[in-house]
Amino acid sequence: WTRVGHLGDPTTVWGEIRTFDTDGDGYFDRWETYRSGQPRPARTSTVRDGGIRDLPNDWVALQRIYTQEILPEALAANEKLMAAMRRVDGAFRVPDDLTKALAAAACDSEKCYVEDIIRETQYLALRDKLLADNEKRFANVPADRDRRKAARTAETVGAWTDARTLSELDAAYAEGRYDDAIRILKAWMPGP
């Protein structure tokens, strides 16, 4: 279990991430993300065969891979995904403590850590918004006998299509397939 947060205030915790190796192969394949003070996970991710890459035991080689490959890719992916999420939900505002922590980041590793927390906060807020919108749409789904009316059929199909798309978005995000998540988010983006 990894506590996440402590950004400027050692008593404030964003939450924690619990990792599990459910199939016993030596690699984490399940992550449970908890927000501070919440008894249930805000998000659970299970990834099978996630393109695992064994890293070298050589500290210098590991440092080079991290600083020259992994870190720049992670920063770029975070920024692309967060921009796409802003296009869908422009109302999201980064909490002040995270804005300050990002501004105070002393290096790219710290910046990535803070961006990871911002990205997760933004994703959870966006997912909650999209789920609430979908719930409202389902409230308009008619009883079985009324579904044959063309307008009612379109509403029913639209609600179920959005529900399926949300599920696909959750899977892409959970598996770190951020380019796929951005493609899926286009379904909710305003026009060109």
Side-chain angles (χ1 to χ4, degrees), residues 2-191:
T2 305
R3 294 189 104 190
V4 178
H6 298 293
L7 301 169
D9 178 0
T11 62
T12 303
V13 177
W14 181 90
E16 67 183 34
I17 299 173
R18 300 176 187 179
T19 52
F20 304 89
D21 174 12
T22 63
D23 59 9
D25 69 355
Y27 299 97
F28 295 131
D29 54 26
R30 179 181 170 92
W31 292 261
E32 294 178 357
T33 302
Y34 290 80
R35 289 303 311 261
S36 187
Q38 299 298 315
R40 287 187 225 141
R43 194 171 64 76
T44 300
S45 306
T46 301
V47 178
R48 301 281 179 227
D49 301 320
I52 298 166
R53 171 180 159 189
D54 285 324
L55 297 170
N57 288 329
D58 175 3
W59 182 250
V60 173
L62 184 60
Q63 239 177 346
R64 182 183 44 74
I65 291 168
Y66 176 73
T67 58
Q68 294 177 12
E69 293 176 40
I70 296 172
L71 185 57
E73 287 173 13
L75 287 166
N78 273 348
E79 289 168 14
K80 277 177 55 179
L81 181 57
M82 289 188 298
M85 288 191 289
R86 277 192 303 275
R87 286 200 59 208
V88 175
D89 181 12
F92 175 79
R93 297 291 172 251
V94 178
D96 289 342
D97 61 331
L98 297 176
T99 300
K100 289 175 187 172
L102 188 59
C107 63
D108 281 348
S109 288
E110 286 182 19
K111 179 181 178 185
C112 191
Y113 176 73
V114 177
E115 278 189 359
D116 284 348
I117 298 170
I118 293 170
R119 185 201 67 236
E120 186 69 18
T121 304
Q122 184 179 8
Y123 181 75
L124 292 173
L126 176 64
R127 190 184 67 177
D128 286 349
K129 176 194 180 306
L130 294 175
L131 285 169
D133 291 349
N134 192 241
E135 193 173 296
K136 288 177 194 168
R137 197 161 186 192
F138 267 110
N140 294 325
V141 170
D144 285 343
R145 67 177 175 269
D146 293 334
R147 287 189 182 160
R148 284 172 272 178
K149 296 177 184 171
R152 301 301 228 164
T153 300
E155 188 62 33
T156 301
V157 169
W160 281 106
T161 299
D162 282 356
R164 187 191 75 236
T165 305
L166 273 164
S167 179
E168 291 170 0
L169 175 63
D170 228 18
Y173 181 83
E175 294 172 4
R177 295 182 290 111
Y178 294 164
D179 286 338
D180 289 341
I182 291 167
R183 180 186 49 75
I184 294 165
L185 281 169
K186 288 181 181 177
W188 289 285
M189 287 182 186

